[in-house]
Amino acid sequence: MQAQKQKDIKFSADHMLGRLSRWLRILGYDTDYPPPGPDKELIESAGTDNRILLTRDKTVAETKKARVIYIKSDRIEEQLMQLAEELSLELDANLKEEEDGSLVNRCGVCNGILKPLPAEAAKEKVPEGVKAHIDKYWQCAGCNKIYWEGSHWDQIKERIEKIKKSR
Ligand SMILES: [Zn+2]
């Protein structure tokens, strides 16, 4: 079975899965993380929006109104591995650009689209040590957070490679 690309799949995560939702966004999966509220609303919004609902709640997992995956573990590594196995999910943390220069990867904070940001504009806002050797930046269209490929991103990639090797 071929690995499922980021574009083909969307998630909604329950309030127990904040960390997993951040990781999925960074990996490029459109992941909704609604504020805590009634289960019914969580299920309905996932269903209407055609999102796979990820939950740690066994009652929620029984719904027939949305596609659901019951997440078995509390550990992020095992959670990602479970999704990789059940959905043939592609776990690839590399930064990938669309044709318009936006990233496939999404903002971990708010799920926003990361748009290219001219270096001159970015360099007014990033730390000295970064602007000295980074010339390519993206900015979240949702929360304005600025991203670049650097040590933080290398750590994320390393983590993902480790998780994949443990499979
Ligand atoms: Zn954002």
Side-chain angles (χ1 to χ4, degrees), residues 10-164:
K10 291 192 292 183
F11 295 108
S12 183
D14 79 11
H15 68 279
M16 301 282 291
L17 297 169
R19 190 141 180 246
L20 178 60
S21 65
R22 282 199 302 280
W23 275 89
L24 289 170
R25 290 165 175 175
I26 289 166
L27 291 168
Y29 295 96
D30 179 344
T31 305
D32 198 11
Y33 180 57
D39 292 345
K40 196 167 164 272
E41 281 176 24
L42 178 74
I43 293 165
E44 272 170 15
S45 78
T48 7
D49 215 11
N50 227 351
R51 292 174 182 274
I52 299 176
L53 180 57
L54 307 175
T55 185
R56 286 280 291 136
D57 184 327
K58 285 201 166 120
T59 323
V60 171
E62 280 165 10
T63 186
K64 300 276 175 279
K65 290 184 177 152
R67 189 173 168 200
V68 193
I69 292 181
Y70 172 71
I71 299 291
K72 297 171 202 157
S73 172
D74 274 326
R75 296 188 53 229
I76 184 70
E77 289 86 356
E78 286 167 14
Q79 293 173 342
L80 285 168
M81 271 166 61
Q82 184 189 347
L83 291 179
E85 277 157 19
E86 289 189 20
L87 297 169
S88 305
L89 212 64
E90 185 181 46
L91 296 182
D92 179 0
N94 288 305
L95 291 178
K96 271 174 288 179
E97 287 181 276
E98 309 264 20
E99 269 173 31
D100 70 353
S102 303
L103 290 180
V104 171
N105 315 73
R106 287 180 167 243
C107 177
V109 180
C110 78
N111 199 34
I113 303 278
L114 304 180
K115 303 257 182 204
L117 180 68
E120 314 85 69
K123 287 187 179 190
E124 290 169 15
K125 295 169 191 153
V126 298
E128 286 295 326
V130 172
K131 67 180 172 193
H133 59 270
I134 304 280
D135 284 311
K136 208 162 180 188
Y137 300 89
W138 295 269
Q139 186 167 34
C140 175
C143 72
N144 293 331
K145 187 175 152 83
I146 298 172
Y147 288 80
W148 59 89
E149 192 158 24
S151 58
H152 176 62
W153 210 270
D154 291 341
Q155 282 169 28
I156 290 171
K157 282 196 280 194
E158 218 171 276
R159 245 348 247 294
I160 290 291
E161 286 316 308
K162 240 187 222 165
I163 292 171
K164 287 203 286 200

